[in-house]
Amino acid sequence: MNQGVEQPNATQQSLAHDLSQLGLRSGDVVFLHSSLKSLGWVDGGADAVIDAFLAVIGPEGLLIVPALTWTFARGGAAQHAFDPKETPSRVGKITDTLWRRPNAFRSAHPTHSIAAIGRRAEELVADHDTTSTFGKDGPYRRYVDWRAKILFLGVSLRSNTTLHAIEDWLDLPYLQVEKAVVKRPDGKPRIVEVTGSPSGHRDFYKDNSKVERLLRASGIIRRGKVGAADTLWMPSQEMVEVVVKGIHQEPTLLLCDRDDCEFCSKYRRPTIDHVRKNRPHI
Ligand SMILES: CC(C)(COP(=O)(O)OP(=O)(O)OC[C@H]1O[C@@H](n2cnc3c(N)ncnc32)[C@H](O)[C@@H]1OP(=O)(O)O)[C@@H](O)C(=O)NCCC(=O)NCCS
Ligand SMILES: [Zn+2]
């Protein structure tokens, strides 16, 4: 702080109060998407935000963040090979601060790692090393099975990574095989294949998407303010149920409807055929 000239808008205590008001409770499992800036000035920065969550959910709770790195091998895009002990998270300061804490566990997936602190954190991130990004036996399924609350702190539903997991569990035909770069034990880069990678376009990468309207209409979204941030959360299992039902009714729910979108146009027909024929379930 600036010698008392500039009052912080938020502190760990005020944020904890706001999170309780929003409906977070002791023992909760929370999957957090976030923007630090959206909170207004926070005394103590990202660490204070993390501590506020941990104070509310307590030692029985579990705080999870995406720690995505996008260390793909295409076109030299990878700045360096993925190493879970070194590579920064690209999805916000709060996420990048969380995985670096000594009591955090981070999964070893080359592009879509996640990190967590709390009860069962180590179990959550286990077995997420190479191949399947969102697979049913991996972390993205575990937190849904553990009834996580998916929380959007100052960010919109455009960041809703769990929707890609649903795409995987329903075996929708448009997840991709990608190449990623990981660091070998000897420090040299190694190219690995990643399956179930969410490349390509989606309708929900824009505001007021089809799935956002469906989720709003379903009544499962709770809203409030945390600091200055417009915040919302949904129970993950209810979200998955609403989205799966929505895909059964409209198989291309998560793809866009634009004719000039090469990716979505390519996969619309195969997606409709797959869903109508197989009625896939998670
Ligand atoms: C991209 C995104 C992370 C950007 O949000 P952001 O608030 O601008 O950035 P961060 O959360 O990294 O926080 C850093 C910012 O906090 C601000 N900041 C620093 N200290 C601060 C403090 N004590 N209090 C408040 N803000 C502070 C800084 O201005 C910094 O911005 P700068 O880099 O422009 O200086 C966010 O919009 C987003 O999309 N989050 C969700 C991502 C996600 O979960 N994606 C998953 C699927 S792709
Ligand atoms: Zn599209």
Side-chain angles (χ1 to χ4, degrees), residues 18-281:
D18 294 350
L19 290 169
S20 298
Q21 288 292 110
L22 190 67
L24 292 205
R25 296 285 172 264
S26 172
D28 275 350
V29 177
V30 177
F31 189 92
L32 172 65
H33 297 281
S34 59
S35 152
L36 177 57
K37 204 158 41 186
S38 70
L39 294 160
W41 188 257
V42 180
D43 192 12
D47 276 306
V49 181
I50 293 166
D51 286 332
F53 274 92
L54 295 177
V56 174
I57 66 176
E60 293 297 303
L62 178 62
L63 178 61
I64 311 163
V65 294
L68 316 188
T69 51
W70 294 311
T71 25
F72 291 108
R74 352 174 168 109
Q79 299 292 308
H80 43 249
F82 175 73
D83 176 342
K85 300 218 160 8
E86 276 178 12
T87 309
S89 164
R90 306 278 178 209
V91 282
K93 178 76 180 161
I94 295 170
T95 69
D96 195 52
T97 302
L98 188 144
W99 80 257
R100 294 172 192 275
R101 285 197 173 193
N103 61 342
F105 290 88
R106 185 185 195 181
S107 74
H109 190 277
T111 57
H112 281 70
S113 74
I114 70 176
I117 293 177
R119 198 171 85 86
R120 301 177 87 179
E122 189 171 14
E123 183 185 345
L124 177 86
V125 306
D127 307 322
H128 194 214
D129 40 14
T130 48
T131 59
S132 177
T133 306
F134 300 112
K136 286 182 187 174
D137 53 359
Y140 287 90
R141 181 53 175 258
R142 284 181 203 126
Y143 67 76
V144 173
D145 288 344
W146 298 350
R147 314 194 74 85
K149 293 173 172 173
I150 305 184
L151 196 142
F152 300 83
L153 186 65
V155 292
S156 74
L157 296 180
R158 293 162 61 170
S159 333
N160 197 352
T161 312
T162 310
L163 294 175
H164 293 304
I166 298 173
E167 295 174 328
D168 181 288
W169 304 337
L170 296 182
D171 210 14
L172 300 183
Y174 51 83
L175 289 172
Q176 307 285 310
V177 177
E178 292 281 358
K179 292 205 180 339
V181 196
V182 296
K183 199 186 237 182
R184 299 193 317 200
D186 65 5
K188 296 214 173 97
R190 180 167 68 100
I191 305 271
V192 295
E193 209 165 70
V194 173
T195 61
S197 196
S199 341
H201 186 243
R202 299 292 191 276
D203 185 61
F204 64 90
Y205 293 168
K206 66 172 195 249
D207 286 327
N208 201 28
S209 64
K210 292 183 277 182
V211 72
E212 181 176 344
R213 295 199 298 269
L214 180 72
L215 289 166
R216 267 203 249 122
S218 75
I220 64 170
I221 299 180
R222 325 283 160 87
R223 289 174 188 278
K225 282 268 186 197
V226 175
D230 290 321
T231 302
L232 52 93
W233 69 266
M234 288 175 275
S236 53
Q237 292 200 336
E238 282 85 338
M239 185 190 88
V240 170
E241 268 170 42
V242 169
V243 174
V244 169
K245 214 183 261 180
I247 289 173
H248 283 171
Q249 275 165 10
E250 183 185 357
T252 58
L253 179 68
L254 303 179
L255 294 176
C256 83
D257 298 321
R258 284 178 11 219
D259 288 338
D260 63 348
C261 178
E262 203 180 310
F263 183 87
C264 297
S265 298
K266 176 175 172 192
Y267 287 106
R268 251 174 242 135
R269 189 73 247 167
T271 302
I272 293 169
D273 291 346
H274 169 68
V275 173
R276 296 242 165 98
K277 182 161 166 247
N278 302 309
R279 302 292 290 175
H281 229 277

